[in-house]
Amino acid sequence: MRIFFTHLNSLIILVISFFFFITPSTSLDTLTGTQILTTNQTLLSKNQTFVLGFFRGSNTNYYLGIWYNNINPRTIVWVANRDNPVDNSTGHLKIGDNGNFVLLNSSGKPAWSSNQTSAKNPVLQLLDTGNLVLKDSSDKTNNNYLWQSFDYPTDTVLPGMKIGWNLDTGTEKHLTSWKVTGEDPSSGDFTMKLDYHGLPEAFLRKNQTIIFRTGPWNGEGYSGIPAMKNNIDGLKFNFTYDEHSVWYSFSITEPSLLPRIIVTSDTDGEFQRYMWIQGSWNKFWYQPADQCDYYRQCGPYGVCDENASSICKCMQGFRPKNQEAWNLRDGSDGCVRNTVLNCSTDKFLHLEHIKLPETSSVFMNKSMTLDECGSLCKRNCSCTAYANIDIRNGGSGCVMWLGQLIDTRVYSTDGQDLYVRLAAADIGSTSSNKNHRAVLDIGITLSALVLVLGLVAICYLRKKRKQRSIGIVHRNHDWLTNEVVPSRRYLGDERNMDGLELPMFDFDTLMMATNNFSQDNKLGEGGFGSVYRGRLIKGQEIAVKRLSEDSGQGIEEFKNEVKLIVKLQHRNLVRLLGCCIEKDEKILVYEYMKNRSLDSIFGYMSPEYAMDGNFSIKSDVFSFGVMVLEIVTGKKNREFYSENDELNLLGNVWKHWHEGTALSLLDPSIDNLYTEAEVVKCIHIGLLCVQEHAEDRPTMSSVVLMLSSEAPSMPNPKNPGFSTWKKHLQIDSSSNKQDETWSVNQVTITMLDAR
């Protein structure tokens, strides 16, 4: 009989869902009182960013959750019934009789429900923010929510969600990890909770044991998470604290961004921030990130320094409490004072770049200045240290410690100032030392400034005295900005071209210099013409690039090349001396350098720029990618590598990448300074930047995000542009050998050999 009623109940549910069904294809974001949501149906937010539906855990049970639409693998941001799963696929969601919504299991009994409300016509809606809200359909204010999922976070913080306390009602919102990340959504062992006592800060705990402390909010971010800064990567972090509430939240400045902050059970518990970038989740920061992030690593009055050989050290005026353990690099017992305090004569030691000690039991006043705070601390014999609450705009507010200083660390550049009470005898000559160091720093700075100014003056005077070669005249100011090249005008002196100086050579001078463009002087042939070696009357050697009339390069390409080269200033790039536009000629004059110096230039130019003169933000990305690969390998892109000397740098890196041997390209001088993962990441990013088609390359902002992420997940790179091959044409021994060079996108590269 029980089996009969079970099947009958399932049949009734199926019949109801037939008449009152919701399907994904309808893209509805709202569930009404006449509808149910079964385990194979979903709600889709209006902008199609979030989905509400059922998913199965590793235990085969069903859970109601919210996840990102069109992101694989599925990323779940909220779970309704994480500790009360539905046992099989016949469970469903519906609007209840008490102004709430209810999740029913296979027997028709509630497995989970929201709070009861007084709504007469309740509806459930999934918003574009990922917030699931219950409201009265007759309420036209559109923001008077009777219940919302943002009030009941699981393991994830989304933009607009608040974590903290409502002090009037005593209600709290905190994060709890999954039992097993990605498998079991039930409540795990790790929590992230905001402590409102003293100066509020958040604690990551495993059960009741503190793992990590964020430090208090200093106006810009938590003092223990230096990476958390406002208006970085499109995020704005918010913290409010008054007598009614203590809330932490964040918002986005760009609607297309998809960030999330989670607490995970991975690696024994972490607090992590992710951003969706180019098809994958990129981790921007995580805590604890190093040994000094772990709570009370160096005990009371100990300072943790991750950059030191022994990470724990005592503050000045203190010594290890347990010297034997300290020698074994166990600093958990902390430090004790060298000299007993004397309230009337005590002084304060100024420490910089500090993560403030734990602030659960401190005195605080938001309106006091730092001087007032110091004066109050001086008069209070129980005060052990003081600092500003807010470090913005020169600092404001006062926080005073009345007991031991616990869980303190020092950073290289971040953190804030802390003033620690010491006996006068333990302060020593710290102040005079600091003054001496300040004077020394000023002296060094002034000396360096005088030296730089002197070098600039010398270079300027030398440039003024330099005599120009015979035949140099100057061009019309507007020739690069017009559609056609105007007639040449002899102006006598050098003129400024868009803030850059570039002389003009007359055609006859170049004919004389190259012996009438003799084949004997020909150095090589490039994509748009030939390059000749020449010598001016005063003996200066030059390289003359003469564009052929039937070359693919027109006036636009010529202008683009001049614009690019004249703005590039680098010791590894050949210098452009001038140009010639007489008699329908388009000629560039470079300084002559042996050993194929001219292909410095094309090695950094993107294919679309070199070919068609099309320049975009992706052109710079290509150049950046080339430099990244040059830095990692210690090789130049203009040279050729591999066994048969047939691949340039891009082609060689691409070959090794596909063979899984990219690490073999690492510059030996780098040695073990970086991990293999960091090297592979840089090579991967470099190959993404130099992809042949501009639309495949990431933007520079994405590159920065990938470089700053700890473990970015990136797409596979495609063929690089200008992955040049070099073919040696075998000719009889009486003939000269010539190099024929081309690339995968059929753009030739000028190869110059010294005669």
Side-chain angles (χ1 to χ4, degrees):
M1 183 64 69
R2 170 186 278 179
I3 296 176
F4 170 76
F5 280 111
T6 300
H7 285 294
L8 179 62
N9 185 64
S10 299
L11 180 62
I12 292 172
I13 292 173
L14 290 174
V15 172
I16 292 173
S17 64
F18 177 79
F19 288 102
F20 305 105
F21 70 95
I22 296 175
T23 62
S25 62
T26 58
S27 299
L28 295 178
D29 63 352
T30 303
L31 184 74
T32 68
T34 61
Q35 298 173 309
I36 67 170
L37 189 72
T38 62
T39 54
N40 63 344
Q41 298 168 342
T42 60
L43 294 182
L44 185 62
S45 65
K46 187 175 180 180
N47 67 358
Q48 301 187 5
T49 301
F50 291 98
V51 176
L52 172 72
F54 290 86
F55 68 94
R56 298 180 69 175
S58 59
N59 53 12
T60 72
N61 290 327
Y62 284 80
Y63 298 88
L64 179 69
I66 297 173
W67 59 86
Y68 290 98
N69 186 36
N70 296 326
I71 286 184
N72 289 312
R74 177 186 290 172
T75 304
I76 298 167
V77 299
W78 181 78
V79 184
N81 58 323
R82 64 186 312 184
D83 295 315
N84 298 283
V86 175
D87 52 6
N88 61 45
S89 61
T90 59
H92 63 279
L93 178 71
K94 72 168 190 174
I95 302 295
D97 298 328
N98 299 310
N100 61 352
F101 66 99
V102 184
L103 183 61
L104 302 176
N105 58 28
S106 59
S107 64
K109 295 182 179 179
W112 178 90
S113 66
S114 66
N115 298 336
Q116 296 183 7
T117 71
S118 58
K120 296 180 180 179
N121 299 300
V123 295
L124 191 65
Q125 184 178 17
L126 180 61
L127 304 182
D128 292 336
T129 58
N131 193 9
L132 182 66
V133 301
L134 184 71
K135 60 182 182 179
D136 199 316
S137 60
S138 60
D139 186 356
K140 303 303 181 183
T141 60
N142 207 34
N143 58 2
N144 185 21
Y145 305 139
L146 304 174
W147 180 95
Q148 57 179 333
S149 62
F150 273 18
D151 285 340
Y152 302 91
T154 50
D155 70 325
T156 302
V157 185
L158 295 176
M161 182 183 291
K162 294 180 178 179
I163 299 296
W165 287 85
N166 183 327
L167 299 178
D168 293 334
T169 62
T171 56
E172 181 202 13
K173 303 176 186 178
H174 67 268
L175 301 180
T176 303
S177 70
W178 282 31
K179 195 73 171 179
V180 180
T181 301
E183 298 180 15
D184 184 357
S186 60
S187 297
D189 297 331
F190 299 92
T191 59
M192 193 72 178
K193 296 183 178 182
L194 195 62
D195 186 352
Y196 64 85
H197 298 93
L199 188 59
E201 54 185 336
F203 291 86
L204 176 65
R205 291 180 171 89
K206 182 177 183 181
N207 299 319
Q208 299 303 314
T209 302
I210 298 175
I211 299 175
F212 165 74
R213 179 182 64 92
T214 63
W217 190 267
N218 60 23
E220 295 181 349
Y222 288 118
S223 68
I225 310 181
M228 180 184 287
K229 294 182 180 179
N230 270 331
N231 301 318
I232 300 294
D233 308 324
L235 300 189
K236 181 180 180 181
F237 296 98
N238 307 293
F239 191 86
T240 58
Y241 174 43
D242 55 34
E243 64 273 18
H244 302 290
S245 62
V246 181
W247 298 121
Y248 159 75
S249 64
F250 74 95
S251 56
I252 53 178
T253 58
E254 171 55 51
S256 63
L257 295 177
L258 294 179
R260 61 189 177 102
I261 296 177
I262 68 170
V263 169
T264 176
S265 58
D266 292 344
T267 63
D268 206 23
E270 282 186 353
F271 185 48
Q272 304 171 340
R273 179 168 84 81
Y274 286 91
M275 182 83 78
W276 182 256
I277 302 173
Q278 292 194 342
S280 62
W281 287 110
N282 285 258
K283 186 191 293 185
F284 273 68
W285 50 254
Y286 61 94
Q287 310 294 145
D290 56 45
Q291 195 172 353
C292 286
D293 274 341
Y294 287 92
Y295 183 66
R296 295 190 68 150
Q297 191 71 26
C298 297
Y301 299 109
V303 178
C304 195
D305 184 355
E306 180 63 23
N307 296 318
S309 56
S310 180
I311 62 171
C312 287
K313 61 182 181 181
C314 291
M315 295 180 181
Q316 180 177 324
F318 293 82
R319 66 181 185 276
K321 182 178 181 180
N322 185 340
Q323 187 64 55
E324 183 178 355
W326 199 271
N327 293 339
L328 296 174
R329 299 195 176 186
D330 177 5
S332 57
D333 288 336
C335 307
V336 294
R337 293 186 181 276
N338 291 330
T339 307
V340 177
L341 295 176
N342 183 330
C343 190
S344 60
T345 61
D346 291 338
K347 297 184 179 181
F348 289 89
L349 175 68
H350 179 194
L351 301 179
E352 299 174 314
H353 307 301
I354 297 296
K355 172 186 176 181
L356 294 185
E358 184 177 337
T359 57
S360 299
S361 302
V362 296
F363 164 83
M364 57 168 293
N365 184 302
K366 292 183 178 180
S367 62
M368 293 178 67
T369 66
L370 186 64
D371 289 340
E372 292 171 336
C373 188
S375 177
L376 180 60
C377 185
K378 171 70 175 175
R379 297 194 304 270
N380 186 335
C381 299
S382 298
C383 177
T384 54
Y386 70 94
N388 274 138
I389 294 176
D390 195 323
I391 63 174
R392 295 173 297 178
N393 303 318
S396 64
C398 173
V399 54
M400 286 172 30
W401 285 261
L402 305 176
Q404 293 182 330
L405 306 182
I406 297 172
D407 194 39
T408 307
R409 73 169 294 176
V410 63
Y411 297 105
S412 299
T413 57
D414 297 290
Q416 61 191 93
D417 294 345
L418 176 68
Y419 298 84
V420 179
R421 189 181 207 118
L422 290 182
D426 291 328
I427 289 290
S429 58
T430 301
S431 299
S432 60
N433 287 340
K434 285 190 175 181
N435 291 335
H436 175 72
R437 185 178 64 184
V439 171
L440 183 61
D441 289 344
I442 293 173
I444 292 174
T445 302
L446 289 176
S447 300
L449 181 60
V450 170
L451 178 61
V452 170
L453 291 176
L455 290 174
V456 170
I458 291 171
C459 292
Y460 177 77
L461 292 174
R462 284 183 177 178
K463 186 175 181 180
K464 280 295 184 181
R465 290 197 301 265
K466 186 176 180 180
Q467 297 297 320
R468 295 292 177 183
S469 298
I470 293 178
I472 296 180
V473 292
H474 291 282
R475 57 179 175 79
N476 189 301
H477 176 75
D478 299 323
W479 77 274
L480 276 179
T481 59
N482 294 332
E483 290 299 316
V484 296
V485 179
S487 300
R488 180 174 62 88
R489 296 189 299 173
Y490 294 87
L491 301 176
D493 292 319
E494 209 165 55
R495 291 195 52 187
N496 185 279
M497 179 189 69
D498 299 329
L500 299 170
E501 294 180 346
L502 184 68
M504 295 284 287
F505 286 79
D506 66 42
F507 184 70
D508 293 337
T509 297
L510 298 180
M511 284 188 64
M512 293 174 59
T514 60
N515 193 18
N516 198 21
F517 299 102
S518 168
Q519 286 295 314
D520 293 336
N521 283 18
K522 189 173 182 179
L523 297 174
E525 190 166 348
F528 305 125
S530 301
V531 180
Y532 300 86
R533 181 178 180 179
R535 186 184 298 273
L536 297 175
I537 293 178
K538 287 195 173 183
Q540 181 182 5
E541 287 191 308
I542 57 175
V544 180
K545 180 177 180 181
R546 185 185 190 189
L547 304 184
S548 62
E549 293 182 0
D550 56 352
S551 70
Q553 186 177 25
I555 188 62
E556 285 301 321
E557 289 82 357
F558 183 72
K559 291 193 293 185
N560 283 326
E561 184 169 358
V562 174
K563 284 182 180 179
L564 174 68
I565 299 171
V566 82
K567 292 181 181 179
L568 288 177
Q569 299 292 333
H570 193 277
R571 65 179 182 179
N572 290 333
L573 297 181
V574 67
R575 189 162 58 95
L576 181 65
L577 300 178
C579 61
C580 174
I581 52 173
E582 284 186 59
K583 302 179 181 179
D584 296 325
E585 294 278 355
K586 294 183 287 289
I587 299 176
L588 295 173
V589 181
Y590 298 93
E591 63 177 337
Y592 176 76
M593 296 178 66
K594 296 181 180 181
N595 300 323
R596 299 171 175 169
S597 61
L598 275 185
D599 41 317
S600 303
I601 298 300
F602 280 104
Y604 298 99
M605 290 174 65
S606 63
E608 69 276 6
Y609 188 84
M611 281 292 294
D612 304 315
N614 294 329
F615 190 84
S616 69
I617 56 174
K618 298 297 186 71
S619 302
D620 282 342
V621 174
F622 184 92
S623 304
F624 177 79
V626 174
M627 288 192 291
V628 168
L629 297 178
E630 288 185 333
I631 291 170
V632 172
T633 62
K635 300 181 184 299
K636 298 182 182 299
N637 189 38
R638 65 174 181 259
E639 298 173 358
F640 288 82
Y641 309 96
S642 79
E643 293 180 358
N644 298 321
D645 197 33
E646 60 188 7
L647 295 175
N648 72 345
L649 177 63
L650 302 191
N652 197 35
V653 173
W654 177 246
K655 173 178 176 289
H656 281 276
W657 178 263
H658 274 281
E659 293 174 351
T661 57
L663 283 173
S664 65
L665 299 172
L666 180 63
D667 185 353
S669 65
I670 294 179
D671 199 20
N672 296 321
L673 295 177
Y674 301 95
T675 65
E676 291 185 358
E678 290 175 309
V679 174
V680 171
K681 180 176 77 169
C682 288
I683 294 176
H684 195 164
I685 292 173
L687 286 174
L688 289 175
C689 291
V690 299
Q691 293 177 103
E692 179 177 355
H693 299 292
E695 60 269 21
D696 293 331
R697 300 173 209 143
T699 61
M700 279 308 301
S701 58
S702 296
V703 171
V704 171
L705 295 180
M706 288 187 283
L707 286 171
S708 61
S709 300
E710 289 293 333
S713 177
M714 298 174 287
N716 291 326
K718 299 178 182 178
N719 283 349
F722 290 142
S723 54
T724 311
W725 294 72
K726 178 180 180 184
K727 179 179 179 182
H728 297 277
L729 298 181
Q730 297 299 329
I731 309 176
D732 62 75
S733 59
S734 62
S735 304
N736 293 328
K737 289 185 178 181
Q738 295 181 350
D739 289 338
E740 181 184 350
T741 308
W742 70 95
S743 65
V744 294
N745 40 13
Q746 298 178 348
V747 178
T748 57
I749 307 297
T750 300
M751 302 299 300
L752 298 185
D753 291 293
R755 296 179 63 240

